[in-house]
Amino acid sequence: MKRETREITLVIDGREIAATEGAMLVDAARHGDVEIPVFCYEPKLGQPVGACRMCLVEIEGIPKLQTACSTPVRDGMVVYTQTDQVKEAQNAVVEFLLVNHPLDCPVCDKGGECPLQDISIGWGPGNSRFIEGKRHFEKPLPLSPLVAIDRERCIMCYRCVRFSQEISEDAQLQLLERGDRTYVGTFDERPYIAPFHGNITELCPVGALTSYTYRFRARPWDIEQAGSVCTLCPSQCNVRFTIRDEKVKRVLARDNPEVDDGWLCDRGRYGFEMFGADERITAPMIREGDGFRVASWPEAIERAASGLRTAGSETAALVGDASNEEGYLVQRIIREALGGGDIDSRPGGGADRNLNMRLSDPAISARVADIDTADVVLVLGVDPIHSAPILDLRVRKAVRRSGTLLAIATDRPSALDGGATAVARSHPRHTAAMIEEIRNGTGDGAEIAALLEDAEDIVVIWGERVAREGRAVESLLGLAADLKLSEGERSGLIGVPELANGRGLREVGCLPDAAPGLGETGKGPGRDTGAIREALIADQLKALILFGSDPLRDAPDSSGWEEALTQVGFTVAFSMFGDASTARADVVFPLETFAEKEGTVTHMEGRLQRVRPSAKRPGDVRPGWQILAEISASLGDETGISSAPDALLAVADSVSFYAGLTAEEIGGRGIRWQDRTAAESLPASTGVGVTDGHSEHPKSTPAPDPGGALRLGTFRDLWANEVTELNPALRFLTQQQRLEIAPVDAERLGISQGEEVEVGQNGNSVKARVVLRERQLPGVVFLIEGTLEGNANELVHGPARTVEIRKAEGH
Amino acid sequence: MSLDPLDTPGLPVDPALTIGRVPDRTPEEIPELHEVNCPPELRERVEELISRYPDKHSASIPALWAIQRRYGWCTPEGIRQVAAVMKVTPAYLESVASFYDLLRTEPAGTHQVLVCTNISCWMRGGDELLGAFVEAAGCSAEEAGHGGALSDDGEILISGFECLGACDLAPMASIDERYFGPLETAEAAEAIKQLRTGREVLPDRPLFKRPLPGGAKGVGVDDQ
Amino acid sequence: MISETRVLLANAQEPGLNTIDIYKRLGGYESLEKAYLHMEPHDVLTELEDSGLRGRGGAGFSMGKKASFLPRGEMAKYLCCNADESEPGAFKDRELMQRNPHQLIEGIAIAALAADAGHAFVFIRGEYDLQAGILEAAVAEAYEAGYLGRDILGTHRDLELVVHRGAGAYICGEETALLDALEGKRGNPRLKPPFPAIQGLYGGPTLINNVETLSNVPHIVRHGADWFKGFGTEQSPGTKVVSISGCVRRPGNYEVELGVPLRDLIFGLAGGPLEGREIKAFYPGGSSSPVLTPAELDLPYSFEAMAEAGSMLGSGSVIVADDSVSIPHMALRTARFYHHESCGKCSPCREGTNWTVKMLERVVGGEATPMDLDIISSVQTNIIGNCLCVLGDSMAMPVSSMVRKFRDEFEAVMSGADVVTRTADAAEADPAGSLL
Ligand SMILES: Cc1cc2nc3c(=O)[nH]c(=O)nc-3n(C[C@H](O)[C@H](O)[C@H](O)COP(=O)(O)O)c2cc1C
Ligand code: SF4
Ligand code: FES
C-alpha cells in the first residue's frame, strides 16, 4: 500500500509553519514549537476521539472552535491558539475536568509527572468555582493483580479502554454506565488480565491507573531514567528504566516505531524485580560435594580453564541469553582456544549454514515496520503472542488501520485467528507440507494462496523453530521465490528466533557449522544441540559450557539432557539465576541482567541495538565479556579485549557484514546491518536453486491415526519461563501444564474440561489439566514446553509423537 | 545461597502492596460455547439477529433485548451465553447494556411501570403519579426516582422515567411497554391491583384507544 | 378560526390504515411505483430538492440537499430513519408510525432510490414497543408485496429494511450517536467531519432523516414540488405535525401549514391555558429550545421566525407553562434531563450538565446566592459551542434563556419564597377524548 504525502505551510499565531498535509493540527503545531494541550489525543491509539475538548483552537473561516487533535492541516490554514476565545475555552475545559477530580496530588503517584497537573497550571483558570460534592468511588481497587484503579481520579479520556478495544483488542476493559456516572471497568468485576494490559498505566494522563509494583516506591524528583533494550524475548523492545538508588524501580516503553511502537508486554514491564531476587548469583562459585562454595575470581577462572583445557576440543557449548559480544567470545573459546566446533544457540537445532545465508539475504528480509503497510501478512508456524508478543500488536494494527489481509498457517490455534481472512491449520511438524500446499494452492493452503495471488506487498512472519523440521526452510525459501519477495521494497521474511538474541548469536558464530559472519568453520560442521546431547551421553564430549542456557528446561528431551548432564565430566555454567542446569555445573559464573549489561544484540529484522548499563551490578558480578576474555587468555588465546567497546570492535571485525560498526552508529534507535554498505560482504550462498513447488509432499493434515492415537504438538507459552516465577508480581501467571484438546476428542476419551490426566509416550508421561479448544484440529493435542512440572520437553524425543491419554490416578 | 528456582525470592517490596497473588476469579475473555451452555432457542434467535446486519456487532442491542426477554434482565450468565454465540467479550456486551436505560443489569421483576416525570408530565402531576405507584406497589420512593425500585415481593418495578414521548397523555406511565394516560393518581393503585391479579390494565386509558385531538378530519376541517 | 391542514395525518383515523390493503386502497404506494417505474433516481432527487422540504428532526436542513451530498458510485450506501424521538415535548413520530406506518416505509423506499441506498434502517426508540410492532408488521407486508427486498417491482433494485429498536438513550437521536448505536456500540456521538453523508454507517455514505421528513416524501413525489411549496412559507414550505403539550386544554398532535401564528396553535387548536390560568412561558421547539414569553405569541410558527426570535422550531414541539409553573423548577427539570442523558464522552457536557443540576438544586432549595446565578449563566456559556455534539448546548440554551428572562423569579425562589411547582391537578385537564 502506497502513501502520498505533500508538504504544505500553515500559519499558527502569526507564524508560518511547515507541515505534512493531513497531519493533525496538534502535531503540526508541536513541530512548530506551538504547544496545544491535549488529554484524550494519543495517535498511537488510532483515530482521535475529540472527547476531552482540551485542544480547542480558532481556525479562520470556521465560526466554532475546532479540536486541534482531530483537524487535519490544509495548505494556507490560519490558526489561533492564544485568542481570548481560545483561552476561555481552555479555562472552561480545565475547570470542567476538575469538577470531579480529587485534589489529592500530594498522595498521588502521578504527582510530579501528571499531565492534568501540568495543564491545569499552564492552561487552567487557577481557581475552581465548583463547590458542590464530587463523585465518590471506593479507591483504589485492584483492576488486576498488577494494576490499581482509582476511579475518582479518572477524567474519562478513554485512553485505557481504547487501548483494550483497538490496540490489544482483548476488549476486556470497558466503559460502564453513562454520562457522569460512567466508569472504567471489566465484566462482572473480573480482573483485567491480558498480556499487554500494563500499557494502560503509561497511557493514563492522571493517577487513576497505577502499577502496584511502583506505587509509593519513588517520586519524580528522586529518580533517573536510563534507556536500554529488553532482552526477555526476540521483540527486543526499547525500554526506559526508572532508577532509584541505582536499582530499577519501573520499566517504561521507549517509543521506537521501528521496533515496538512504544508498547511493552507485561513480561517486559513487570519482569524487573528479579534483578534483585535472592536467586541472583552474585559471585563465582565452585562445586563442593553436592553444593557450591563462593570462590575468588582468579580461582574460579583457573578452575574453569583447567577443566576445559583437559577436555580440549571435546568441549561443547550451548549459548542462550547472551549479547553478541558474549556469544562471539564463547564460540571463540570453543573454536580458537580449544580447537573444537560443537556449539549451538538453538534449543532444537535448525537450518544449516547455506540456508542461513540464503535467509539472511537482505533482498528477502522485511522490516517490522513493513507490516504496517503490507497488503497481506502471512503468519507461519508461530504465534507472536507467545514468541514475540509485540508483533501481535503490530499485526493487529496493520489489519485494523491499513486493511491488511491476514493469513495464518499454524499447527496450534493462534491469538491472531480472530482477525484473519484465511486460517490454515496443519498437524504439528507438518509446516513444510503446509507451505507446499500454499505454494501449489492445494488443500488447506488454497485459501491463503488465493490471498497471496493478487497481493503486492507481502510480509511473511515465520517461527524459526519450524527449522526443527527437515525441509521446512527449503519450502519457505521456495515460497519466497514464488512470491518474488526479493523484488518488493516492502516485502520480505521476518524470522522469529527461539531466543531473544537468536539472530545475533547466529551471526556471531554460535552455530555448529558457521563461524562469525556465517563464515566457513574451516573444519566442517560441528554438532548441534541434539547431537551434543547424544555425544555427551555417549561420552564423546568431555566438557560443556552453558552460557545463559538451561537445556534441562528449554531443550527437547529433558530426560536425555538429565542423562547428558550426569554423564559429562566437567561443566562451566554462566547464569543469572540458579536454574536446574546450573545446579549441575562444576563452576558457576554470575551473569549481568540487561539492566546492568553493556553490549549489543541483533533484532530479528537485523537491527543492531545497544543494551546499556543502567543499574548497579549486585555483589561481585562482572561483565560477561570480561570473564570470557580472561578464560580465553588463560587457555592461551589472548583476545586483547579489555573493555566493552573492545568486545564490540572484535565482533565488528569478525562479522563481515557488521564491519565498522560502533556504539555511536548504533545509537539509541539501533541500525539494520542490511542498510549499511558492509551488507554486501554477506557471504554468497551456494545452490540457490528453488525447490520446485510441485514435488510430492505429505498432506499438512494427514489422516487421523487409525488407532485413534493423538498427535502431540508442543509450544513455548509466554509465561512458561523463569521470569514468571522470579517476579512476585508475575507469579500468579505461572502456567500449570494443560492438555489442549478438541472437544470431539475429549468426548471420545470421556475426559472433560479441568480434569487431570496423564499424557504418556513410550515410557515417559506428564500430568496435565484438560482444556477444550474449539478451534483446535481434531486428532491433535498440545502441551506447554518449559513448565516447572510436567514439562512437555519430557515427551519430545525421537520421531514418534503420538501420545496416550489416561485419567490421572485418584481422579 | 539457594539454587532452587521454586523457592520464593525475598524482594525489597512492601508486603502490604506486594501483588502477584493468584486472582480469585478468571479474566473474562471470549467464552467458548462449551463453557456456557446457551439455550438453543436463545442461540438461534441471536444467530438470526446477527444475520440481519452487515456487521455482527450491530446485533448487540437486539441480542441484549433477547437476553432480557428470556431472563427478565441482562444476567451475567445470559450475557456470557450470547457473548459465546456472537464471539465477543461479555465485557463488551455489559458495556453496551449499562449505557441504555431499558437494558437492566439488575433484577427487574415481572412487571415494569415507567412513570414519566419530565417537563410536560411534571406540570400535569407526574411526580404525584409516581408517588402513587410507589405507594401502591410498596417500594422505595428514593430508588424509584433513581433508576427504579422493586416492590417487596420483587414482582413489580416502579421507575420514574424521562420523557416517554407521550406528553399528550400527561401525566402518563408505560406499563409493561404499553402507554396509559392521562392518569389520575387513584388509577395507580387500580393498575397495580390489575397487574397483580393478571387482569387487563386500565382498560379505558391505553394510548392506542385514543383518537387524535383534532378528530378524524382535523380541527376546523369538518365545518368548512 | 384556524383549521388543521392534514397531509401526513389525512386518513390517520381510518380504521386499519396500518395494513397495506387499506393504505393501498387510499392510494398508498402509487408514489413508490411512480418513482421506481416511471422516474429516474436523479429526477426523484431533484424533485425533493426543489420541494425545499426541511428536516423535521431538529436541524431543519434541506432534505434533498443532504441526499445530494452522498457520493455516487459502487460503495454500499445506507439510509437511516431517525425514529428515536426522545426530546421532551416531541411525540409526533410516534403518531405517524403508529397510525400510518406504510407512509413512512414508502417514503423510505423512495428516498433510498434517490440516494441509491441498498440498506435502510429505522432506529426506533426502545420505549415505542407498540409502534415498533406495528412498523415491523407493516415492513413484513411491504416485503410480501414486493415494495421491499430484492428486485423491487422488477427494477433490479434492492432494498433491505430493518427495524432496529433502541434501548433507552436520548443521545441516540443525535445522528452520529445513532450510527454508533446501530453498529452495536454505546451511543456516543462521533466527531464531524466526516459527516454521515460521506462516511456514516459501517464507514459508508449514509442519509439520515427523521420520520416526519421521510413521511413527506411520497406526497412530494405524487403531487410535485410546486404543490408542496404551496403550503407553508417560502423558507419553511409544507405542513408540520406539531406536538403541543403542557398546560393546555387539548394537548396532542396537530398538523398545520408552517407559518401559522403560535397563538392559533396554542389557543385555537390546543384550547389555550387551563381554567383560570395564564401562559407564562413556552418552549416553541421542544425542551432544547430557548423559552419564549406571551409577548412572542403572535410570531408565525416557522423555522425562520423562531430563529429570529432567538429560539428554534426544532422538532416542532410546543410545551406550554402557565403562571402556576415555577420557572426555576422547570429549569431544574430541563437540566436534570440533559444531565441524565449526557453520554459522558465530552467533558463540557458531562461535567457541565452535572454542575448545572447541582447549582439549580441549591437554587430551588433556597441555598443559593445571586452570584450563583451568574455562575450558572457563565457555565452555560462555557458549555455552548465547546461540546462534541449539541446535547450540551441543548441544555445550556433553554436554561440560560430562563435565567435571563426570569431572573427575578430565580431570586425570589432563592430567597425561600414558596412558589407553586406545577399546576394544581391533572384532573383539571379535559379527560381523554372528551372532545368527541
Ligand atoms: C441530542 C440530540 C438529539 C436528537 N434527537 C433526535 C430525534 O430524536 N429524532 C430526530 O429525528 N432527530 C434528532 N436529532 C437531530 C438529528 O441529529 C438529525 O439532525 C436529524 O435526525 C436529521 O434528520 P432530518 O434532517 O430529517 O431532521 C437530535 C439531535 C441531537 C443533537
Ligand atoms: S482511567 Fe485514566 S486512561 Fe482510563 S479513562 Fe480514566 S483517565 Fe483516561
Ligand atoms: S485532545 Fe482533542 S479533544 Fe481531547
Side-chain angles (χ1 to χ4, degrees), chain A residues 38-41 50-53 55 67 69:
Chain A
V38 301
F39 286 116
C40 67
Y41 181 57
C52 76
R53 318 303 288 176
C55 64
T67 47
C69 70

PDB file of all heavy atoms in Angstrom, chain A residues 38-41 50-53 55 67 69, ligand 3:
ATOM      1  N   VAL A  38      -3.417  18.621  25.313  1.00  0.00           N
ATOM      2  CA  VAL A  38      -4.324  17.512  24.975  1.00  0.00           C
ATOM      3  C   VAL A  38      -4.421  16.537  26.145  1.00  0.00           C
ATOM      4  O   VAL A  38      -3.497  16.436  26.948  1.00  0.00           O
ATOM      5  CB  VAL A  38      -3.834  16.727  23.740  1.00  0.00           C
ATOM      6  CG1 VAL A  38      -3.724  17.613  22.526  1.00  0.00           C
ATOM      7  CG2 VAL A  38      -2.510  16.044  24.036  1.00  0.00           C
ATOM      8  N   PHE A  39      -5.537  15.840  26.218  1.00  0.00           N
ATOM      9  CA  PHE A  39      -5.680  14.724  27.158  1.00  0.00           C
ATOM     10  C   PHE A  39      -6.037  13.446  26.425  1.00  0.00           C
ATOM     11  O   PHE A  39      -5.348  12.444  26.498  1.00  0.00           O
ATOM     12  CB  PHE A  39      -6.751  15.023  28.218  1.00  0.00           C
ATOM     13  CG  PHE A  39      -6.320  16.008  29.243  1.00  0.00           C
ATOM     14  CD1 PHE A  39      -6.962  17.226  29.344  1.00  0.00           C
ATOM     15  CD2 PHE A  39      -5.260  15.738  30.095  1.00  0.00           C
ATOM     16  CE1 PHE A  39      -6.559  18.154  30.288  1.00  0.00           C
ATOM     17  CE2 PHE A  39      -4.856  16.644  31.041  1.00  0.00           C
ATOM     18  CZ  PHE A  39      -5.507  17.863  31.145  1.00  0.00           C
ATOM     19  N   CYS A  40      -7.126  13.488  25.676  1.00  0.00           N
ATOM     20  CA  CYS A  40      -7.582  12.226  25.075  1.00  0.00           C
ATOM     21  C   CYS A  40      -6.792  11.872  23.826  1.00  0.00           C
ATOM     22  O   CYS A  40      -6.744  10.716  23.421  1.00  0.00           O
ATOM     23  CB  CYS A  40      -9.077  12.273  24.778  1.00  0.00           C
ATOM     24  SG  CYS A  40      -9.534  13.430  23.486  1.00  0.00           S
ATOM     25  N   TYR A  41      -6.141  12.861  23.232  1.00  0.00           N
ATOM     26  CA  TYR A  41      -5.424  12.586  21.984  1.00  0.00           C
ATOM     27  C   TYR A  41      -4.173  11.759  22.226  1.00  0.00           C
ATOM     28  O   TYR A  41      -3.329  12.116  23.045  1.00  0.00           O
ATOM     29  CB  TYR A  41      -5.029  13.902  21.316  1.00  0.00           C
ATOM     30  CG  TYR A  41      -4.305  13.721  19.990  1.00  0.00           C
ATOM     31  CD1 TYR A  41      -4.902  13.011  18.951  1.00  0.00           C
ATOM     32  CD2 TYR A  41      -3.037  14.242  19.784  1.00  0.00           C
ATOM     33  CE1 TYR A  41      -4.242  12.839  17.740  1.00  0.00           C
ATOM     34  CE2 TYR A  41      -2.381  14.081  18.570  1.00  0.00           C
ATOM     35  CZ  TYR A  41      -2.985  13.378  17.555  1.00  0.00           C
ATOM     36  OH  TYR A  41      -2.333  13.201  16.350  1.00  0.00           O
ATOM     37  N   GLY A  50     -11.685  13.223  20.080  1.00  0.00           N
ATOM     38  CA  GLY A  50     -12.198  14.577  20.349  1.00  0.00           C
ATOM     39  C   GLY A  50     -13.088  14.663  21.566  1.00  0.00           C
ATOM     40  O   GLY A  50     -14.067  15.404  21.578  1.00  0.00           O
ATOM     41  N   ALA A  51     -12.754  13.921  22.596  1.00  0.00           N
ATOM     42  CA  ALA A  51     -13.640  13.833  23.751  1.00  0.00           C
ATOM     43  C   ALA A  51     -13.360  14.881  24.826  1.00  0.00           C
ATOM     44  O   ALA A  51     -14.274  15.484  25.348  1.00  0.00           O
ATOM     45  CB  ALA A  51     -13.559  12.440  24.365  1.00  0.00           C
ATOM     46  N   CYS A  52     -12.090  15.101  25.141  1.00  0.00           N
ATOM     47  CA  CYS A  52     -11.807  15.944  26.305  1.00  0.00           C
ATOM     48  C   CYS A  52     -12.016  17.424  26.010  1.00  0.00           C
ATOM     49  O   CYS A  52     -12.295  18.197  26.905  1.00  0.00           O
ATOM     50  CB  CYS A  52     -10.399  15.690  26.821  1.00  0.00           C
ATOM     51  SG  CYS A  52      -9.116  16.459  25.796  1.00  0.00           S
ATOM     52  N   ARG A  53     -11.871  17.822  24.743  1.00  0.00           N
ATOM     53  CA  ARG A  53     -12.083  19.207  24.288  1.00  0.00           C
ATOM     54  C   ARG A  53     -11.005  20.163  24.788  1.00  0.00           C
ATOM     55  O   ARG A  53     -11.196  21.383  24.767  1.00  0.00           O
ATOM     56  CB  ARG A  53     -13.472  19.726  24.707  1.00  0.00           C
ATOM     57  CG  ARG A  53     -14.598  18.751  24.535  1.00  0.00           C
ATOM     58  CD  ARG A  53     -14.734  18.245  23.129  1.00  0.00           C
ATOM     59  NE  ARG A  53     -15.258  19.217  22.173  1.00  0.00           N
ATOM     60  CZ  ARG A  53     -15.370  18.981  20.871  1.00  0.00           C
ATOM     61  NH1 ARG A  53     -14.966  17.814  20.380  1.00  0.00           N
ATOM     62  NH2 ARG A  53     -15.839  19.896  20.066  1.00  0.00           N
ATOM     63  N   CYS A  55      -8.169  20.688  23.449  1.00  0.00           N
ATOM     64  CA  CYS A  55      -7.311  21.213  22.376  1.00  0.00           C
ATOM     65  C   CYS A  55      -8.041  22.194  21.462  1.00  0.00           C
ATOM     66  O   CYS A  55      -7.632  22.386  20.318  1.00  0.00           O
ATOM     67  CB  CYS A  55      -6.816  20.049  21.544  1.00  0.00           C
ATOM     68  SG  CYS A  55      -8.170  19.210  20.726  1.00  0.00           S
ATOM     69  N   THR A  67     -11.365  21.170  17.445  1.00  0.00           N
ATOM     70  CA  THR A  67     -10.397  20.372  18.209  1.00  0.00           C
ATOM     71  C   THR A  67      -9.164  20.135  17.338  1.00  0.00           C
ATOM     72  O   THR A  67      -9.245  19.457  16.308  1.00  0.00           O
ATOM     73  CB  THR A  67     -11.012  19.026  18.606  1.00  0.00           C
ATOM     74  OG1 THR A  67     -11.640  18.455  17.454  1.00  0.00           O
ATOM     75  CG2 THR A  67     -12.020  19.200  19.720  1.00  0.00           C
ATOM     76  N   CYS A  69      -6.817  18.259  17.773  1.00  0.00           N
ATOM     77  CA  CYS A  69      -6.358  16.866  17.733  1.00  0.00           C
ATOM     78  C   CYS A  69      -7.009  16.113  16.588  1.00  0.00           C
ATOM     79  O   CYS A  69      -6.547  15.047  16.209  1.00  0.00           O
ATOM     80  CB  CYS A  69      -6.698  16.160  19.032  1.00  0.00           C
ATOM     81  SG  CYS A  69      -8.458  15.876  19.233  1.00  0.00           S
TER      82      CYS A  69
HETATM   83  S1  FES D   3      -7.174  16.173  22.842  1.00  0.00           S
HETATM   84 FE1  FES D   3      -8.528  16.959  21.372  1.00  0.00          FE
HETATM   85  S2  FES D   3     -10.416  16.567  22.275  1.00  0.00           S
HETATM   86 FE2  FES D   3      -9.076  15.574  23.669  1.00  0.00          FE
END
